[in-house]
Amino acid sequence: MGYDDQGDRLLRSVAEHLKLPLMQIGRMAEVGALPGEAMAMLPAIGLTAERAVRLIDGYLLGVRLRDQPTLALEPVTPGAILLDVVQELRPYARQYDCGLDVMLSGRQHMVMTDRAVLAAALSCLGQVFIEVMPAERAKKVVFAAYPRGNDALVVGVFGAGAAPLLGADGLRRARALYGSARQAFPTLSDGNGAGVFVADQLLSAVASPLRAVRHQSMAGLAARLLPSKQLQLV
Amino acid sequence: MSTERVSDIAMVHVLLVEPDKQLATMYARGLRAAGFAVAVAHTAQQAIHAADDQCPDVVVLELQMAAHNGVEFLYEFRSYAEWQAVPVLICTVVPEDVAQIDAASRQLLGIAGYLYKPTCSLAKLEQTIRQLPDAGDMTAPAQDVGRRISELDELAIVSGEV
């Protein structure tokens, strides 16, 4: 499938997804008009609008990367990015009564990647997980980085409640469905999971596409990042 | 507004089946401010449990949900005799021409109305609930519903084409 097809599918997916924050803002504005509700609604409207803009920015970053002849790779400490993303997402997670955690295991190599790409991908991915974690379970989304093999560092987003619902087959089917089906992860999400595919596009641009993985009894989506050989020699 | 109408509205118990927590919170707040009693469910299973706890006067239902969609919920909901006459108002992100629920299916399943959520304000939802006909007018005779559900052709499933 050529990029234009994929690009169209991703654009359709993002466009469809953006109805949700706009609906939320519309309803929040209506509730804000009720007596005594305005002050409670204003921060929520702001957060919702910010998340929508971040998704759009993630999508546009992926489009720009396609046209760039070179990538701005640099040594990056994934743990620091995870902490920044969690800090950014925490207010939004509170709206969904969802806890966030950072789990850094083993030796945390520095990796060569595009910092903005990794941050945007984790942000978009984290947002999806916050929204879809099953309501009946204790909602917690974990941003984790752990070594795999001799060199690689796996960095991704996990949810304890997603364990029985997300796997390699599910991700493969979702990649075939997004942009045409209303629900790319029908057993996991009522939405179309656009944030997952924006993250996938971004990480694929740095040769680290998303994989369905399991870590400490949690299921999640993560990218395998390779360290800089030169940094290892230092 | 007459006292009689306010007391009527206060007696209406709405079961809101909405998977998105933010939207559910907003719709529930708006409906409660309008005088309705509201129970919220985020999944089909939660909705069945909520209906079991207290039989609703009307169900406001999103079709597009994870695991079990609103159509599947509706089939199960209608299989219980005590809920066969409860009107269901579809309020969904699925456009009506995509869902393709025909008139016969609507009557069989007691679908009292179809609202497209992106353009459905709180005020419109509230007004639509207030204008619902009596529950007894909405569905086929209770003893026929179970038999006819098994004969019904499949409804368009929401996970089809956008």
Side-chain angles (χ1 to χ4, degrees):
Chain A
M1 186 181 295
Y3 180 83
D4 284 343
D5 291 335
Q6 275 188 318
D8 285 346
R9 288 172 60 206
L10 188 58
L11 181 58
R12 281 159 64 184
S13 187
V14 169
E16 184 69 29
H17 173 81
L18 286 172
K19 288 182 192 176
L20 176 62
L22 291 173
M23 279 192 285
Q24 291 170 339
I25 289 168
R27 301 299 84 77
M28 287 171 183
E30 286 185 275
V31 170
L34 296 172
E37 291 278 13
M39 295 309 294
M41 288 299 105
L42 293 176
I45 289 172
L47 277 172
T48 303
E50 181 190 329
R51 294 315 316 168
V53 168
R54 285 193 185 266
L55 179 70
I56 293 169
D57 278 345
Y59 167 76
L60 291 174
L61 178 57
V63 171
R64 284 201 300 277
L65 286 174
R66 187 194 70 150
D67 298 331
Q68 273 176 212
T70 57
L71 292 170
L73 300 183
E74 58 181 312
V76 166
T77 305
I81 293 181
L82 291 177
L83 288 167
D84 286 344
V85 170
V86 164
Q87 184 81 354
E88 166 209 314
L89 284 171
R90 206 175 288 282
Y92 187 68
R94 266 191 232 112
Q95 280 189 198
Y96 281 86
D97 293 330
C98 183
L100 300 183
D101 214 351
V102 175
M103 188 184 294
L104 304 176
S105 314
R107 187 175 170 209
Q108 296 288 307
H109 306 293
M110 288 186 82
V111 297
M112 288 297 286
T113 191
D114 185 311
R115 180 186 301 270
V117 166
L118 185 58
L122 290 169
S123 175
C124 291
L125 206 50
Q127 180 177 337
V128 174
F129 271 73
I130 288 167
E131 291 167 359
V132 308
M133 287 304 294
E136 61 268 21
R137 300 174 198 258
K139 293 179 63 151
K140 189 170 226 182
V141 172
V142 177
F143 291 72
Y146 56 92
R148 174 65 66 195
N150 289 334
D151 299 328
L153 205 62
V154 176
V155 180
V157 184
F158 299 80
L165 304 173
L166 195 63
D169 283 347
L171 182 59
R172 185 167 46 247
R173 274 195 296 272
R175 280 187 173 127
L177 286 174
Y178 81 86
S180 58
R182 302 196 66 83
Q183 292 173 276
F185 299 96
T187 58
L188 180 66
S189 171
D190 58 288
N192 67 4
V196 171
F197 306 105
V198 169
D200 202 20
Q201 177 197 52
L202 288 167
L203 292 167
S204 294
V206 294
S208 302
L210 281 177
R211 304 176 184 203
V213 298
R214 286 179 183 268
H215 179 59
Q216 297 190 7
S217 79
M218 299 182 294
L221 296 173
R224 185 183 171 101
L225 304 173
L226 296 178
S228 162
K229 298 293 186 184
Q230 289 173 323
L231 288 173
Q232 285 183 323
L233 292 173
V234 173
Chain B
M1 185 181 294
S2 69
T3 301
E4 183 178 0
R5 185 165 180 182
V6 167
S7 62
D8 283 345
I9 291 171
M11 287 165 56
V12 175
H13 180 78
V14 176
L15 173 56
L16 176 67
V17 188
E18 169 53 58
D20 182 75
K21 186 178 183 296
Q22 297 303 308
L23 282 177
T25 300
M26 295 306 117
Y27 276 119
R29 280 192 186 178
L31 290 173
R32 285 177 186 135
F36 297 99
V38 182
V40 175
H42 298 299
T43 66
Q45 187 176 21
Q46 283 183 351
I48 293 293
H49 291 157
D52 208 26
D53 287 343
Q54 181 169 355
C55 181
D57 297 308
V58 60
V59 177
V60 176
L61 176 65
E62 167 60 64
L63 294 180
Q64 189 168 300
M65 295 191 286
H68 299 290
N69 62 43
V71 174
E72 291 170 297
F73 161 78
L74 207 42
Y75 272 110
E76 181 172 358
F77 188 68
R78 291 302 185 210
S79 71
Y80 292 89
E82 63 268 36
W83 299 333
Q84 283 173 354
V86 175
V88 173
L89 182 62
I90 305 293
C91 184
T92 178
V93 295
V94 182
E96 198 165 358
D97 57 340
V98 172
Q100 297 177 6
I101 303 176
D102 61 28
S105 305
R106 282 193 186 210
Q107 180 163 17
L108 182 68
L109 292 172
I111 295 174
Y114 196 107
L115 297 171
Y116 180 52
K117 194 187 294 179
T119 56
C120 178
S121 64
L122 284 170
K124 185 174 181 181
L125 177 61
E126 177 197 336
Q127 183 185 34
T128 305
I129 293 172
R130 290 181 184 183
Q131 290 174 350
L132 288 177
D134 288 340
D137 297 339
M138 289 307 307
T139 59
Q143 66 271 20
D144 290 340
V145 171
R147 175 173 54 82
R148 291 176 62 190
I149 281 178
S150 66
E151 299 166 0
L152 189 68
D153 291 336
E154 273 190 19
L155 299 176
I157 299 300
V158 300
S159 58
E161 292 292 318
V162 168

